[in-house]
Amino acid sequence: MQFSTKTLLALLPYFLQANAGASGTGTTTRYWDCCKPSCAWPGKFNLAAGSNPVQMCDIKDQPLLDSNAASGCAGGPAYQCSNESPWAVDDNLAYGYAAVNIAGGSEASWCCACYELTFTSGAVAGQKMIVQATNTGSDLSGNQFDISIPGGGVGIFNGCTNMFGAPSSGWGAQYGGIASRSSCDSFPAALKDGCYWRYDWFKGADNPSVSFKQVACPAALTAKTGCARADDSGAPAADSPAANAPAPATSSPVAVTPSYPVVSSPAAQLTTTSTPTPAASTSSSTSTPAVSPGIFLQPSPSSNITTPAPSPSPVATYSAAPEVVTVTIEGCEAQY
């Protein structure tokens, strides 16, 4: 079978879509349980060279280097670091972290991936937030982002009583957390800014809906977690000129890791088994939204598709004779 150049160029968008990341519509909730994030365990996904699973901290909020350390919510020494709190980049963009469940995926495809959320309801409708997936949970539905916000409710597990002396059910309600900005005043210093963020930049929004797309992780996010995926593109994650603005200083000196140049498609991931970890909590249950997970096709590195160069003329012209394109895939050659 033979295709003309015109036909092949018309098919180009479909080849490009094959490398696109996850996207669609989804829901948000909020939580902060102080437990070790599930993406802090080793062997769950393919890391970029020199990167590590999500950074975790000890009970004194200092970096803990043993990625096999058990969670503080299961009697171990590992907790979520306080600097994984959200912050405003500007009036329309914020950065943060979330427990994630992407329809059709798994931890192997979403751990340490970044997603640009565009809020579509509530007081923050139209504002954007880029989150890095640091956690997951069996109680999350497809395309749900459980945003890590101090004071957002501990949910199923509570490590905050051990780590920060929080009440036995966490700060405020177990699901949903505190009910006013003034409640943040009594929080530990390391968590206050993240707590205030909910009522300042986030305008007290209560689980707004979102549209989302997978993007390259900003360096400011990976610097805090020390985690970068092998398939992250390393390209700018958003159009905002402040997209790679430095993160604010925090009281917890978590080790930093630079960004890495990699690819954005979550198609081919390394999936391994690991020690079970506690699930992330959600502040409220939500119905499963409409799903548009995108197409996850990843051409083999050995594939080679050769197409004729476009004509330099501003008006495309084509000869009557069809042009031939040779496609070589893993040593097999065919002509079209």
Side-chain angles (χ1 to χ4, degrees), residues 49 143 328:
N143 292 353
T328 302

Side-chain angles (χ1 to χ4, degrees), residues 135-221:
N135 206 351
T136 191
S138 59
D139 55 344
L140 298 181
S141 58
N143 292 353
Q144 182 175 344
F145 298 86
D146 202 15
I147 303 173
S148 294
I149 307 174
V154 294
I156 296 176
F157 300 100
N158 175 18
C160 297
T161 298
N162 286 342
M163 190 177 188
F164 291 109
S168 59
S169 59
W171 295 285
Q174 180 179 358
Y175 293 90
I178 60 174
S180 67
R181 189 183 190 279
S182 61
S183 297
C184 301
D185 297 345
S186 61
F187 272 46
L191 298 178
K192 281 185 177 180
D193 286 346
C195 184
Y196 289 137
W197 175 90
R198 176 180 162 195
Y199 295 95
D200 297 338
W201 189 93
F202 203 51
K203 303 175 183 177
D206 187 20
N207 302 341
S209 57
V210 294
S211 61
F212 72 92
K213 62 181 179 180
Q214 188 172 346
V215 296
C217 285
L221 286 174

Side-chain angles (χ1 to χ4, degrees), residues 1-4 8 322-327 329 333-336:
M1 181 182 295
Q2 294 180 326
F3 291 109
S4 68
L8 289 169
E323 297 179 74
V324 177
V325 175
T326 300
V327 180
I329 301 178
E333 181 177 294
Q335 290 187 334
Y336 296 95

Side-chain angles (χ1 to χ4, degrees), residues 256-276:
V256 299
T257 302
S259 57
Y260 299 90
V262 279
V263 209
S264 63
S265 169
Q269 304 296 340
L270 172 65
T271 304
T272 60
T273 57
S274 62
T275 307

